Each structure stands twice: as structure tokens, then as C-alpha cells.
Amino acid sequence: MQTLTITSPDDWHLHFRDGDMLKETVPATARCFKRAIVMPNLVPPVVNAQMATEYKQRIMEAVPAGAEFEPLMTLYLTNQTTRQDIKDARAAGVTACKLYPAGATTNSDAAVEGIDALFPVFEEIMQQNMLLLVHGEVTEAEIDIFDREKAFIDKYLQKIVSTFTDLRVVFEHITTKDAVDFVVASSDNVAATITPQHLLLNRNDLLVGGIRPHNYCLPVLKRNTHQQALRNIVASGSPKFFLGTDSAPHEQHKKENACGCAGCYSAWSAIELYAHVFEELGALDKLEGFASHYGPDFYGLPRNTSTLTLIKQEWQIPTSITPPSGEPIVPFFAGETVSWKLQQS
Ligand code: OTD
Ligand code: ZN
Ligand code: ZN
């Protein structure tokens, strides 16, 4: 039997949600990841140290007995965020701050309108040696949805990274060749996460033969030339690009809807999907760096000391998952066959 053993991986971008849903999402992620950067887009969002600490506690209560898992918390930046909020967050052990342009994605209505007004806050994040995580899309109505990532680079991100040269910035869930090129050309303080869906799919998988709501996420899938740029960069083994699933569950009826929610729930097959892609690319030797080394290295955290083993074995992703709420969720890549499976310990 062919196996692949790597240092235990971490997920550098995901959405656990809250309440009962934690009993579904936290075990799914703790199945294979030792740590995860937990996004703060709850309702209401996680905007201060106390909310982050309480949210972390709720997540810890959902970690299955015997599992070793550490949530790394983030603060949601708004136009009300102060430098003191950042200092308090740092003191409470919060890892990073998340910049959402208002309206860019699910539950981001409370986010930032004028990014320039936040420059003092970015300076504090830099001084506290925290990281700035960026949802890099403009939200101006006149900008085409497929151009929003590139427009964000040109209008904001270029300026942020050139103003705060010592600030570590993660360009989250990148989807375009423009983003790849920007990160490659930037300093070592700029990195990016890449999701399984943006490596596996392009916009044809969203729109050809009928609308496929379970492939709808934000930033939206782009044309295949952009998908190819993402695949090429992960296959190159560049340490500036690492794993972030953006796993983001929505109930089936909220996605199969005339106004369907954005987000793909990939936690139950995350590491397997990445292994599938790296194998397709003939780059399985690059999986460990992407999944387990470059993330902690960039965050200034130790690499995990345990290992995870994948077995070469075909299996089918379930067509439905029923969380404690009883409302079914269709997982990402439902019904598809994946060629690697996590070895259960
Ligand atoms: N994208 N859905 C969600 C978040 C992400 O932009 C993101 O990080 C969500 O549902 O929270 C999505 O499509
Ligand atoms: Zn985002
Ligand atoms: Zn996300």
C-alpha cells in the first residue's frame, strides 16, 4: 500500500461558526489539523479581546476528547477599532487581525469602509508583531466581480505593504495570477493562502451546464488561466504560499436558493483534496511544505512535531452531512472520488 507521511498540517484560514455548529466543524478540522486560524466573521463579529477569548473557549469545549488542537484567534477590524483594541488583543493572545472591505463576503457588513483611516491601526498591528490578514477584494458596485481582486491589489494592497514594510501580511484565499505575481514580487513579509476549491476548479465548474451553488464561494472562481497560475505556484514549492481551506459551512437550503450563500465546506476532506491536487500536479513532494512548514514559519510559530499519514486509496466524499442542528449540509466536492485518505490512528 502506498502511504505518504508528513509533519502534521495546520489550516491557516477557516470558519468554524458558533453555537451548536461548533460540534460539527471543530471535530472535522481537528481530524487532521493541529492548529487553525479562526476567522472572526460571526454575527456579531469578534471585534475585541474579550469576544475572542470567549469564542476560543467555546471552540475548545467542542474539541473531541483526546484530540490535540489549538485555535488561533483573530480580531475583526472595523472603522471603530482602536490602537488599544490591538494592544488588548495581543495581551489576550490573539494572533492576527482580519481586514474585510465592507460587504466583501458573508457577514462582512460591519467591516471597513475607508481603508486609509485604518493606517494607525495597521501600524499598531505591526508594532505588536501581529499579522494582518486580508480579504483582498474591492466592493465598489461598478467594479466587475471577476476584477475585484486585482483592483484591490492596485488600489489598496500595494500601498499597505509599501507603507508598512515590517508588517506581515497574508493575502487570503488568492484566486488570480495577478495575486500570485504580486506576492512573488513582494517582500518576505507578504504571503498568501490558497483553498482547495481554487486549485481544483475554475468558473466553468460554477456556470457550465447549470449553476452549481455548492461551488459558489468568494472570491468567486476565476477563469482557468488563473487556476493554472495557482496550481503552478504551489507545484513550485514557493514558501510564500500555504494551506488555508476557507472551509465555510452553510446549510443546504441556504446554498440551493435563489440568492445562495457563498462558501464551501471542505473540512471533512481538506488534506485529502490538497493531496489529490498535488498528485495531479506531480508534486506530492511539495505537499508537506505547503501544508505543514511554510504556514508556521511565516507566522513565527513552531512546526508541529507529530505526523499524519495518508493512504493511497480511493473514496467518495459524502453527498450530505447532518450537523447537530439537523439541517443538512452538502460538503464541498460531494460525491466526487478522491485518491488519498487519512489513515485513522
Ligand atoms: N468566502 N464564504 C465565507 C467566507 C469566505 O471570504 C471568505 O473568507 C463565509 O461563509 O463565511 C466565502 O465564500
Ligand atoms: Zn475572505
Ligand atoms: Zn474565509
Side-chain angles (χ1 to χ4, degrees):
M1 189 182 357
Q2 197 187 343
T3 63
L4 177 63
T5 297
I6 59 172
T7 305
S8 295
D10 306 298
D11 187 346
W12 298 96
H13 180 135
L14 61 60
H15 302 263
F16 273 147
R17 313 301 190 206
D18 205 351
D20 268 358
M21 190 62 112
L22 294 175
K23 297 196 196 89
E24 159 61 34
T25 54
V26 176
T29 288
R31 181 185 72 96
C32 59
F33 296 112
K34 292 288 171 215
R35 293 171 290 199
I37 284 281
V38 181
M39 288 294 142
N41 62 329
L42 304 182
V43 188
V46 178
V47 292
N48 58 45
Q50 187 187 345
M51 292 174 90
T53 304
E54 290 170 4
Y55 184 31
K56 181 174 184 176
Q57 188 56 41
R58 296 195 295 280
I59 293 166
M60 291 308 295
E61 284 163 14
V63 176
E68 207 186 291
F69 179 75
E70 184 188 7
L72 303 172
M73 306 310 291
T74 63
L75 208 67
Y76 186 114
L77 299 175
T78 75
N79 287 110
Q80 279 70 51
T81 306
T82 63
R83 295 183 78 133
Q84 190 61 43
D85 289 328
I86 305 302
K87 289 183 191 145
D88 294 346
R90 176 63 174 173
V94 172
T95 303
C97 298
K98 182 70 195 278
L99 175 66
Y100 291 102
T105 191
T106 307
N107 302 333
S108 64
D109 298 346
V112 171
E113 300 277 3
I115 288 178
D116 289 1
L118 270 187
F119 273 39
V121 170
F122 296 161
E123 190 174 274
E124 192 64 46
I125 295 170
M126 181 172 73
Q127 282 173 7
Q128 297 297 328
N129 203 21
M130 294 170 79
L131 290 91
L132 178 67
L133 316 182
V134 181
H135 181 113
E137 286 191 291
V138 299
T139 53
E140 285 87 344
E142 68 276 15
I143 309 290
D144 187 273
I145 189 165
F146 292 103
D147 299 334
R148 288 178 173 201
E149 189 169 276
K150 170 154 176 32
F152 186 88
I153 297 169
D154 299 343
K155 195 166 172 193
Y156 300 109
L157 198 53
Q158 186 70 256
K159 187 169 166 197
I160 294 171
V161 305
S162 58
T163 306
F164 303 102
T165 51
D166 293 333
L167 176 63
R168 281 173 297 160
V169 175
V170 183
F171 194 173
E172 298 291 339
H173 47 49
I174 59 165
T175 64
T176 58
K177 179 172 190 301
D178 309 279
V180 170
D181 292 346
F182 174 80
V183 171
V184 167
S186 297
S187 82
D188 287 348
N189 284 330
V190 180
T193 55
I194 306 185
T195 75
Q197 62 266 27
H198 293 105
L199 291 168
L200 283 161
L201 306 178
N202 60 65
R203 65 194 193 182
N204 280 6
D205 301 295
L206 179 64
L207 296 168
V208 172
I211 291 180
R212 292 166 203 273
H214 299 291
N215 292 341
Y216 175 56
C217 63
L218 290 169
V220 74
L221 296 170
K222 304 298 190 298
R223 64 167 66 238
N224 62 358
T225 47
H226 292 298
Q227 179 196 7
Q228 198 54 49
L230 300 176
R231 291 169 70 95
N232 291 346
I233 199 67
V234 300
S236 80
S238 164
K240 288 172 143 260
F241 300 85
F242 45 83
L243 186 157
T245 62
D246 204 8
S247 182
H250 291 278
E251 291 160 355
Q252 181 173 7
H253 70 96
K254 291 192 177 147
K255 287 193 68 71
E256 297 175 13
N257 188 294
C259 185
C261 289
C264 300
Y265 185 45
S266 58
W268 284 111
S269 55
I271 192 66
E272 294 91 336
L273 288 170
Y274 284 110
H276 188 89
V277 170
F278 278 75
E279 180 169 59
E280 279 180 356
L281 294 169
L284 269 179
D285 60 321
K286 303 293 193 323
L287 178 66
E288 183 176 37
F290 177 82
S292 316
H293 293 166
Y294 308 151
D297 293 355
F298 188 77
Y299 271 76
L301 295 168
R303 295 177 182 179
N304 293 316
T305 50
S306 56
T307 60
L308 167 153
T309 298
L310 291 158
I311 310 167
K312 177 89 196 217
Q313 180 188 321
E314 291 199 341
W315 62 288
Q316 223 187 19
I317 298 180
T319 50
S320 185
I321 287 166
T322 307
S325 69
E327 283 287 344
I329 294 174
V330 177
F332 177 64
F333 234 45
E336 299 284 339
T337 301
V338 183
S339 49
W340 289 89
K341 200 169 198 316
L342 185 67
Q343 185 175 60
Q344 303 298 337
S345 45

